[in-house]
Amino acid sequence: MLFNSFIFFIFLLIVVPLYYNLGVKHRKLLVLLSSYVFYGYWDYRFTILLAISTFVDFFIGRKLYAVDNKNIKKRLLLLSVCVNLGILGLFKYYDFFIDSFSVFAGQFNQNLDYLHLNIILPVGISFYTFQTMSYTIDIYREKLKPTNSIIDFAVFVSFFPQLVAGPIERARNLLPQIAINKLPSKEQINSGIVLIVLGLFKKVLIGDTTGRIVDQVFSQPELYKSPELLSALVLFSIQIYADFSGYSNIARGTAKLLGFELMKNFEQPYLSRNITEFWRRWHISLSSWLKDYLYITLGGNRKGNFITYLNLFITMLLGGLWHGASWNFVIWGGLHGLYLAIHKIILKKKKVELTDYVYNGFYSFSKYFLQVLLTYIIVLFAWLFFRSTDFNTSSYFIEKMIYWETSDLSVRFFKITFFFTVVTLLYDFIEYRTKQHSFIVLIRNKPLRIGILLAIFLVTLLYMFNTEPLPFIYFQF
Amino acid sequence: MKYLKLFFGFTLGFLITLALLELFLQSAEVNALTNAKQDKVLGSRLNPNSNFLYFNEGFSIGKVNAYGYYGPSYPRTKDANVERIALIGDSYVEGVQVFERNHFRNKLENLLNQVNNSSNSYQVLNFGRSGFNLNDSYCYYENFVKQFNPTVKLIFVSPGDLVNRGPIASRPYALLQNEDIVIDYGFSKSEKYKFKESTAAFRGKSVILGYILKTLELIRTDNYKYILFGKFSSIGEVTERKTKKERKKEILSDITKKIILKLRNQDCIFVVHTETTVNDYDYLVKDFLEFSKENKVKVINFSPLFEKLKTNNINYNYWPVTNKKGHFNERGHNEIAKLLYEMINKSKN
């Protein structure tokens, strides 16, 4: 079920009070059962895949820890990776590769259409396969001890707040919490409620509302003029951020209500001063996963400059492919790989630290502003490839940006874009300054705080009641 | 005192946040304010110069003109060398699913003025209103459209528009009195109209209030179950739907026939579109076409065009983003403009 649906809140209203009234063992079983209900709401058959992933990795994990022989360990790891990537490959990439080979085969008058399987992509498959893979890889690297409880592990794989869209958790963070399974503190409950309300606001009132325009414009760009296309692209950058970070907030908030702490997935990425900083603030759970399990596996920065740049490029290229079976995502990933490699060349040995900007006069602010703007522009350019359904759409957009044509609706489009930008930046600015995603908890006056939260929640629910929900963008990945 | 303080804090937080959210919703045009207001003659009138933003099947951003209809602001009086074409009908004519530049009104006007050897120029005016049937279109024509002195009047009807559904609480209604058509304005005394009129000032100014009223309407009409309970909403429910056969009790009513004849006498041309959606009243069009033939009513039938488009696999009413079938899409508008252009040209020659 979608977080931005009433059925999810009814589901929460049943699960959470029940959870508070059960003992540790039963709480785990309740979370497990709820997670399977949550996932099976889309299609009950999807839960079979979830169960396969759980059993395979649980037993391989235990075996990996038990044996000393390096060759057997390698084979076991390979088996785990093959099963997980096999499921992912079959459901997500099979048809894509057949499509791509069809073009090649077409040159020799061969038709490969009969090889298409046309399988439905199970929601969030990329997220939980990566999560379970990190478990076996960490055991192989001797960074983690396997769990002895299949229930704990099944909860780790299927934990409903983060099952379909992350954050992609590491076993070393989540498994100990599942093992203890303590009830939430008062602070966690307060912060959880605030995160859910703010996340829902972001996802629904910013993400979905911008998405309605974006979807229409990108589906038939030839109907729109240059200013309208530019607005749609900017709105998409807002949509994907609000959609995903809002969803992550709801996930973290829901987990907090059950006493769990999930990692932060976003830290105001559009306030980044360079592309390296951007990737430390954007989809943090994926970028750190790619760094730990792909970039480092490829050799990281240990094999000289050229290999470092190449590794960065390959990591981002595959990161792009993780998002979806389309060459557009590959181009998007490739562009980011290129940006990061160039930035690394510019940086030489210097490290990028995540320090907050402190106002220090007009000159320093101008410099900061220009850096943020430049980073945003290159990110925006890459978003064009991410959102376009094919390369023709991307090139049409670029053509329309070069050969600019005016529109009598420019002012309306820019006005809409401006106000969405202002609200998004204001939201980020408050987060940035307070270093809190649930910044409303900082308001000491409790009735005032409740009044603010209730107003936001009420308006969001009213909007949801009157409009069809847009699915979360990352569900398709 | 303590409770007063708590209440004050809560109210302050609640109201300030509501006001800020209202500001955001209006400025970013998350939902446009209603662009119609109550009117004792027309039922509801489009607010002149009001902006609108439409999302359903398609998407459009636009503006009602200075005179309260769609398209350029052509004043009530017109020059002698201007041919003025009025498009009258329901949401298919209103066409807010597409941008004004893609609407067949605009395309038809451009075509007529581009290929025009005479000194005359053409103006096409869009008087379409969502939810109108033939009776409503007639009242609107008599009370509003006529003021703009159109030379060509195109009345669009789809099968459902031919059903005489009787008077409704929000619009005038044409009825028969001693064989004459009389427009009844009794709607303005109805509770529904009075409620709408009394709340118009708020509804026209607040998006949030608009949400609340729409939510109450959804609850009142029992349309909230799927929204709230999703897949579980249909458990234990028995769906009741009248079959097509059961519905075939409708006939072309006397008032409908009288309206058709009266509009014929005022040189109106009927445009029939039947192939847009599967409709329970498709058979009524057959009756209408027979009646028109008998009474020499001018009719433009879109069915052959739609059939041709279907044969050529051209989607004229499919919306890929929302995966809906219904109103004409951009391609449909294009084809309709071409067809009307040919018909108008043919009638001139």
Side-chain angles (χ1 to χ4, degrees):
Chain A
M1 54 191 81
L2 292 168
F3 283 170
N4 53 324
S5 65
F6 286 93
I7 192 73
F8 173 70
F9 288 97
I10 294 170
F11 168 81
L12 267 193
L13 282 175
I14 297 168
V15 172
V16 174
L18 208 60
Y19 182 83
Y20 293 164
N21 287 296
L22 293 174
V24 177
K25 198 179 164 191
H26 291 111
R27 280 207 292 268
K28 282 182 198 174
L29 286 173
L30 176 69
V31 174
L32 184 62
L33 181 72
S34 313
S35 299
Y36 272 74
V37 170
F38 176 85
Y39 197 52
Y41 184 80
W42 275 285
D43 191 328
Y44 69 92
R45 290 169 298 181
F46 292 170
T47 54
I48 298 166
L49 289 175
L50 205 58
I52 292 173
S53 253
T54 305
F55 280 108
V56 168
D57 287 311
F58 177 74
F59 289 110
I60 290 178
R62 282 167 63 100
K63 201 88 188 142
L64 262 174
Y65 191 70
V67 294
D68 288 327
N69 187 311
K70 277 193 173 174
N71 277 336
I72 299 174
K73 273 189 160 201
K74 255 187 193 165
R75 273 182 221 159
L76 283 168
L77 180 67
L78 199 68
L79 180 66
S80 162
V81 171
C82 283
V83 170
N84 284 300
L85 291 185
I87 292 173
L88 194 62
L90 181 72
F91 283 88
K92 193 165 174 175
Y93 301 106
Y94 178 80
D95 280 348
F96 165 65
F97 284 116
I98 294 296
D99 273 343
S100 304
F101 280 120
S102 286
V103 178
F104 178 71
Q107 307 286 327
F108 303 97
N109 292 329
Q110 296 295 312
N111 189 350
L112 300 181
D113 281 353
Y114 67 97
L115 290 173
H116 279 112
L117 293 178
N118 297 320
I119 320 172
I120 309 165
L121 178 67
V123 180
I125 190 168
S126 311
F127 288 90
Y128 67 77
T129 47
F130 267 41
Q131 184 157 311
T132 51
M133 268 163 62
S134 76
Y135 172 77
T136 45
I137 297 171
D138 277 355
I139 295 172
Y140 174 81
R141 287 176 176 175
E142 292 174 4
K143 284 182 176 174
L144 182 76
K145 267 175 134 181
T147 173
N148 290 322
S149 161
I150 182 100
I151 301 290
D152 284 14
F153 187 70
V155 172
F156 165 71
V157 177
S158 66
F159 188 49
F160 75 85
Q162 47 87 243
L163 170 64
V164 290
I168 305 166
E169 276 297 336
R170 306 299 166 78
R172 54 181 175 269
N173 175 40
L174 197 54
L175 266 176
Q177 295 187 62
I178 295 167
I180 303 164
N181 205 197
K182 60 175 184 181
L183 284 171
S185 64
K186 206 177 154 194
E187 285 72 30
Q188 270 184 313
I189 294 175
N190 283 340
S191 169
I193 291 170
V194 173
L195 276 175
I196 291 173
V197 173
L198 290 181
L200 197 66
F201 166 77
K202 226 176 171 184
K203 155 73 187 134
V204 173
L205 279 180
I206 300 178
D208 286 3
T209 50
T210 46
R212 293 181 309 176
I213 299 176
V214 172
D215 289 350
Q216 293 283 350
V217 176
F218 273 85
S219 78
Q220 285 175 296
E222 66 282 1
L223 295 176
Y224 299 91
K225 310 231 165 147
S226 307
E228 299 159 7
L229 294 171
L230 181 62
S231 281
L233 184 58
V234 174
L235 287 175
F236 175 66
S237 73
I238 294 170
Q239 182 204 359
I240 193 158
Y241 171 52
D243 187 269
F244 200 3
S245 65
Y247 220 84
S248 298
N249 276 358
I250 304 172
R252 290 181 58 226
T254 310
K256 273 178 191 280
L257 287 185
L258 303 174
F260 293 89
E261 289 294 334
L262 300 180
M263 69 187 293
K264 283 183 178 177
N265 224 1
F266 292 89
E267 283 284 25
Q268 311 88 44
Y270 291 143
L271 298 180
S272 307
R273 281 162 282 191
N274 54 61
I275 197 69
T276 310
E277 187 182 341
F278 175 82
W279 274 103
R280 290 196 190 158
R281 293 179 178 275
W282 179 270
H283 202 175
I284 300 165
S285 66
L286 175 71
S287 50
S288 59
W289 195 102
L290 291 172
K291 185 185 160 202
D292 290 350
Y293 300 105
L294 190 58
Y295 177 69
I296 289 175
T297 309
L298 288 170
N301 59 3
R302 299 186 304 269
K303 294 179 180 172
N305 286 344
F306 179 73
I307 299 293
T308 304
Y309 307 142
L310 190 68
N311 287 345
L312 259 178
F313 186 73
I314 292 169
T315 304
M316 293 312 291
L317 206 69
L318 291 174
L321 198 61
W322 174 88
H323 284 81
S326 156
W327 290 110
N328 276 57
F329 293 123
V330 179
I331 295 171
W332 174 79
L335 265 176
H336 274 283
L338 200 67
Y339 294 162
L340 285 168
I342 292 170
H343 191 228
K344 211 155 183 79
I345 294 168
I346 297 167
L347 281 173
K348 290 173 187 166
K349 297 274 174 199
K350 237 168 80 182
K351 291 220 165 189
V352 174
E353 300 291 338
L354 271 189
T355 51
D356 284 348
Y357 168 76
V358 182
Y359 182 77
N360 189 20
F362 180 72
Y363 173 74
S364 87
F365 179 75
S366 305
K367 190 180 162 195
Y368 169 75
F369 179 78
L370 283 175
Q371 285 172 331
V372 169
L373 187 68
L374 183 68
T375 308
Y376 175 71
I377 289 170
I378 61 168
V379 169
L380 188 70
F381 179 67
W383 281 138
L384 171 61
F385 296 94
F386 189 95
R387 181 59 184 81
S388 304
T389 41
D390 50 51
F391 195 72
N392 286 344
T393 308
S394 317
S395 49
Y396 182 81
F397 255 79
I398 294 167
E399 194 188 307
K400 285 282 175 183
M401 292 304 112
I402 296 168
Y403 302 103
W404 190 263
E405 55 181 4
T406 55
S407 152
D408 51 347
L409 292 169
S410 305
V411 176
R412 290 278 298 276
F413 268 93
F414 285 150
K415 189 193 118 197
I416 291 170
T417 311
F418 172 78
F419 280 102
F420 275 115
T421 310
V422 166
V423 169
T424 311
L425 283 179
L426 191 69
Y427 190 105
D428 268 14
F429 177 74
I430 299 171
E431 274 189 1
Y432 192 82
R433 297 296 296 184
T434 58
K435 295 186 174 33
Q436 274 263 17
H437 283 191
S438 51
F439 48 82
I440 290 180
V441 289
L442 299 174
I443 298 170
R444 288 200 186 145
N445 187 319
K446 199 175 167 187
L448 186 75
R449 193 170 69 218
I450 295 172
I452 293 171
L453 272 181
L454 196 68
I456 296 174
F457 193 51
L458 198 75
V459 173
T460 313
L461 289 186
L462 281 170
Y463 177 84
M464 280 164 59
F465 206 89
N466 287 282
T467 325
E468 277 178 45
L470 277 192
F472 174 54
I473 296 177
Y474 267 69
F475 275 166
Q476 59 186 301
F477 306 147
Chain B
M1 193 63 187
K2 191 187 161 196
Y3 289 109
L4 199 71
K5 228 172 153 181
L6 291 178
F7 177 75
F8 180 74
F10 172 80
T11 315
L12 188 75
F14 188 76
L15 291 180
I16 289 177
T17 312
L18 272 192
L20 288 172
L21 286 169
E22 179 72 47
L23 186 72
F24 162 62
L25 295 171
Q26 285 195 28
S27 312
E29 299 197 32
V30 169
N31 278 86
L33 293 165
T34 173
N35 65 349
K37 64 177 173 193
Q38 269 44 60
D39 184 284
K40 284 199 164 68
V41 176
L42 297 179
S44 86
R45 176 189 290 274
L46 290 176
N47 282 337
N49 296 317
S50 59
N51 285 328
F52 66 86
L53 180 108
Y54 175 90
F55 286 105
N56 191 356
E57 298 145 312
F59 148 66
S60 78
I61 289 181
K63 195 176 183 176
V64 175
N65 70 26
Y67 298 95
Y69 59 91
Y70 297 103
S73 293
Y74 296 127
R76 285 180 171 79
T77 51
K78 72 169 184 72
D79 294 337
N81 63 341
V82 170
E83 282 272 0
R84 199 170 258 190
I85 301 166
L87 310 172
I88 305 146
D90 60 4
S91 51
Y92 287 88
V93 180
E94 189 175 50
V96 285
Q97 300 76 21
V98 299
F99 280 69
E100 163 60 22
R101 59 177 177 247
N102 299 319
H103 193 288
F104 68 85
R105 186 215 68 77
N106 183 49
K107 289 181 181 284
L108 175 65
E109 190 177 82
N110 287 342
L111 279 171
L112 288 167
N113 286 320
Q114 265 167 23
V115 196
N116 182 12
N117 300 324
S118 69
S119 57
N120 282 5
S121 68
Y122 289 89
Q123 292 176 345
V124 185
L125 290 70
N126 177 358
F127 291 102
R129 294 295 301 276
S130 172
F132 269 22
N133 64 7
L134 182 60
N135 196 306
D136 299 319
S137 290
Y138 169 76
C139 298
Y140 204 59
Y141 171 70
E142 289 291 336
N143 290 325
F144 186 59
V145 180
K146 264 185 176 176
Q147 297 168 15
F148 292 85
N149 302 302
T151 38
V152 179
K153 284 99 48 178
L154 300 178
I155 315 272
F156 286 69
V157 281
S158 58
D161 299 339
L162 295 166
V163 177
N164 178 30
R165 66 177 172 220
I168 58 167
S170 54
R171 284 201 281 269
Y173 176 70
L175 46 89
L176 273 181
Q177 231 171 47
N178 303 326
E179 292 298 303
D180 272 339
I181 302 177
V182 177
I183 298 177
D184 175 29
Y185 296 97
F187 71 92
S188 61
K189 291 185 189 85
S190 72
E191 287 302 315
K192 192 178 175 185
Y193 181 83
K194 280 180 187 163
F195 173 74
K196 277 196 166 178
E197 197 179 35
S198 60
T199 55
F202 303 105
R203 280 188 294 118
K205 287 192 173 66
S206 166
V207 174
I208 296 173
L209 199 73
Y211 288 160
I212 295 171
L213 291 171
K214 212 174 148 194
T215 304
L216 293 175
E217 183 69 11
L218 285 169
I219 294 169
R220 196 181 64 79
T221 51
D222 235 20
N223 284 325
Y224 63 93
K225 285 177 189 158
Y226 188 77
I227 302 171
L228 282 187
F229 305 114
K231 281 183 186 174
F232 301 121
S233 61
S234 55
I235 295 173
E237 249 183 35
V238 185
T239 356
E240 269 183 49
R241 196 176 184 280
K242 283 180 188 170
T243 61
K244 202 168 176 176
K245 219 174 177 181
E246 269 178 284
R247 284 186 176 229
K248 209 184 167 172
K249 286 168 193 160
E250 298 288 344
I251 49 158
L252 221 50
S253 67
D254 289 345
I255 180 65
T256 307
K257 285 178 183 168
K258 200 79 182 172
I259 288 172
I260 294 168
L261 294 177
K262 186 152 184 199
L263 289 172
R264 176 202 64 184
N265 295 341
Q266 298 189 43
D267 286 333
C268 292
I269 302 167
F270 285 85
V271 182
V272 190
H273 52 101
T274 53
E275 298 292 327
T276 48
T277 47
V278 178
N279 197 300
D280 288 332
Y281 302 110
D282 276 350
Y283 64 90
L284 264 182
V285 171
K286 216 171 147 192
D287 296 349
F288 168 76
L289 290 173
E290 277 168 18
F291 178 78
S292 303
K293 206 174 172 186
E294 282 164 23
N295 293 284
K296 296 197 169 89
V297 178
K298 284 182 194 165
V299 175
I300 297 173
N301 192 349
F302 278 174
S303 298
L305 168 72
F306 292 154
E307 282 302 324
K308 196 178 99 187
L309 294 176
K310 260 187 197 171
T311 318
N312 295 328
N313 279 331
I314 295 170
N315 267 315
Y316 58 90
N317 65 344
Y318 177 68
W319 299 88
V321 175
T322 47
N323 195 22
K324 287 180 179 171
K325 236 177 179 184
H327 291 97
F328 309 128
N329 58 23
E330 286 82 4
R331 186 65 199 263
H333 277 267
N334 213 20
E335 298 297 330
I336 288 166
K338 279 197 272 182
L339 178 79
L340 288 176
Y341 168 70
E342 280 167 24
M343 294 289 189
I344 290 167
N345 256 352
K346 213 192 269 179
S347 70
K348 273 195 302 184
N349 301 329

